[in-house]
Every structure is written in structure tokens, then in C-alpha cells.
Amino acid sequence: MSTLLHLDSSARGKASESRAITAAFASAFRTAHPDNVVLRRDLHTDPPPHLPEAGLHWAPGLREAGERPGWAAEEAQRRLVNELLAADVLLIGFPLYNYGLPSTLKAWLDHVHVPGWTAPSAISGAPLAGRPVVLATARGGEYGTRGVNRQRDHATPVMELVLGEEMGMSVTVIAANLTLANRTPALARHTERAARELRGALSLAVELGGRLGSGRP
Ligand SMILES: Cc1cc2nc3c(=O)[nH]c(=O)nc-3n(C[C@H](O)[C@H](O)[C@H](O)COP(=O)(O)O)c2cc1C
């Protein structure tokens, strides 16, 4: 039996491609084993607050004198962190907004990246080391290795850096590009490629959800 923590952050509902990809993954994960559990948190409809105090970035043993976050803020952070620590697999859907992360997901990340608690430090190990995280992202434009936008996605690299390098999780990225092909004349010639990318992303999500849901690496 495995637990999946499934986060979404798109401000779109049914039309969202990142939500479609995470839904495909979560469904395959759920059906891979009868005892699997999926815990869902929608960061768009139920957003965490901006990090209210900088002291929350550090585990209590690493805080400086005077860094004493309030009880309610600590409690809200504890809920998010414990949810993450209890999950065997983490799944995060997010759109690219103004070349960066949706602010709701950034607020979540600011709460859960805590040296000395979720990230290694002088006083702790790496509780999330090797834990799988699947990043499902949708981007209006084209972000391949050769195009003009190739280094302009500042969302996925941040997630890889914080969850992968800082927290030690094992990151897989599923991306759908050119999602604006249907509504932006300048991208209209890419409509077929956009549809192909989405199909590829959905089938990868199903394959990966089934694999991780059955406990295979
Ligand atoms: C506020 C906002 C900002 C956006 N900024 C970008 C951007 O910087 N680059 C880009 O390629 N697409 C951008 N888009 C398009 C989205 O990335 C695209 O619609 C994507 O499919 C959204 O994900 P979703 O389908 O899961 O909702 C933006 C869309 C919105 C609503």
C-alpha cells in the first residue's frame, strides 16, 4: 500500500492540461493497488498563505534569537509538512505563469522547504531522500532546447532545485508545451504538435502512475 499526495495549482478548471495530467497519474496510481490512498490538495481553491515569518524557514533548532513564529503559523506549516512527509509519492501539477511558478505553489514550497526538518542540515538527515516526486507542468509556449524560450522557464528548474537538489527527492518531469496553440494565432501552426505533446504527457502519466502505484521504482 502506498500514499500519494496530489497537488494542483492551475487557476483553470476542467480545461487545465496540468490538471488532466495529474488526474491521469492519480487514477493509475489508485488502481495499481486496492489499498493505495490518494490525498488531494488543491492549492488554487485552498491556497496556503504567503509565508508569514522568515523564522518558519528554519527548524526550531536552527532559528536565531528572536525568530519565534506564532503558534497558528507553525501549526499551519506543520500540517503541510506532515502531509508531505507521510506521502510515499508526491505529484504536483502546475502551469507556467509569467515564466514562473503560480504564487500558490510558491507559498506551499516556502512552507515545506525547511532545513533541519525536510532538508538536510547540521542537525538533521534527509527524510525525503530518494522519495519520488512527479512534476506535471503545462506551458503555453515552446520550451525545447533550441527555441527562443529555451532558458525562460523559471518554474520547473526551481522545483527541481528545491525538491531534488535541496531535499534529495527523485524528480521526474512530465511537460506539455504549446498549450496556447489553439487560442494564439502566432502559435496556430503548432496545433498538431500541441495535441501530440498532451497525448504523450497523458500516456507517460498513466505509465508512471501505475508503476509507482505498484511500488516499482
Ligand atoms: C497568468 C498567466 C500567465 C501565463 N504566463 C505564461 C508564460 O509566461 N509563458 C507561457 O508559455 N505561458 C504562459 N501562460 C499560459 C499557460 O502556461 C498555459 O495556458 C498553461 O496551459 C496553463 O496550465 P493549465 O493548462 O494547467 O491551466 C500564462 C497563463 C496565465 C493565465
Side-chain angles (χ1 to χ4, degrees):
M1 174 202 148
S2 300
T3 300
L4 172 70
L5 175 59
H6 169 182
L7 309 179
D8 278 308
S9 55
S10 169
R12 292 206 291 173
K14 284 197 168 61
S16 159
E17 298 201 9
S18 62
R19 285 178 186 271
I21 298 166
T22 58
F25 181 103
S27 163
F29 185 95
R30 198 182 285 107
T31 50
H33 192 284
D35 297 331
N36 280 354
V37 173
V38 178
L39 178 66
R40 177 109 197 290
R41 180 175 278 281
D42 192 322
L43 298 172
H44 178 67
T45 57
D46 183 17
H50 291 141
L51 195 74
E53 298 175 59
L56 291 169
H57 180 58
W58 307 99
L62 294 175
R63 287 183 195 146
E64 294 186 338
E67 286 182 332
R68 280 203 210 105
W71 179 86
E74 279 202 304
E75 197 48 39
Q77 179 183 46
R78 194 171 299 121
R79 212 167 32 244
L80 296 175
V81 168
N82 285 342
E83 231 170 57
L84 171 62
L85 292 174
D88 300 294
V89 178
L90 173 62
L91 170 68
I92 309 177
F94 58 98
L96 183 65
Y97 282 169
N98 291 305
Y99 302 100
L101 290 173
S103 55
T104 52
L105 179 54
K106 178 62 166 50
W108 178 84
L109 197 60
D110 288 343
H111 277 85
V112 302
H113 176 205
V114 186
W117 192 2
T118 58
S121 78
I123 63 162
S124 72
L128 291 161
R131 203 93 55 101
V133 51
V134 177
L135 305 176
T137 186
R139 312 183 275 219
E142 208 280 277
Y143 291 82
T145 49
R146 275 174 299 174
V148 67
N149 281 333
R150 68 189 179 284
Q151 290 181 328
R152 291 180 178 170
D153 177 344
H154 300 286
T156 299
V158 168
M159 297 298 281
E160 291 177 305
L161 190 57
V162 176
L163 297 172
E165 286 192 36
E166 302 278 352
M167 289 158 72
M169 300 183 82
S170 170
V171 183
T172 304
V173 177
I174 305 179
N177 287 293
L178 291 163
T179 65
L180 290 177
N182 275 329
R183 69 185 290 171
T184 308
L187 296 177
R189 68 185 189 286
H190 296 299
T191 307
E192 264 181 41
R193 184 175 150 201
R196 210 166 48 241
E197 288 223 12
L198 178 59
R199 280 197 304 276
L202 290 169
S203 74
L204 181 56
V206 169
E207 193 262 318
L208 206 53
R211 184 145 51 86
L212 291 173
S214 18
R216 285 176 282 133

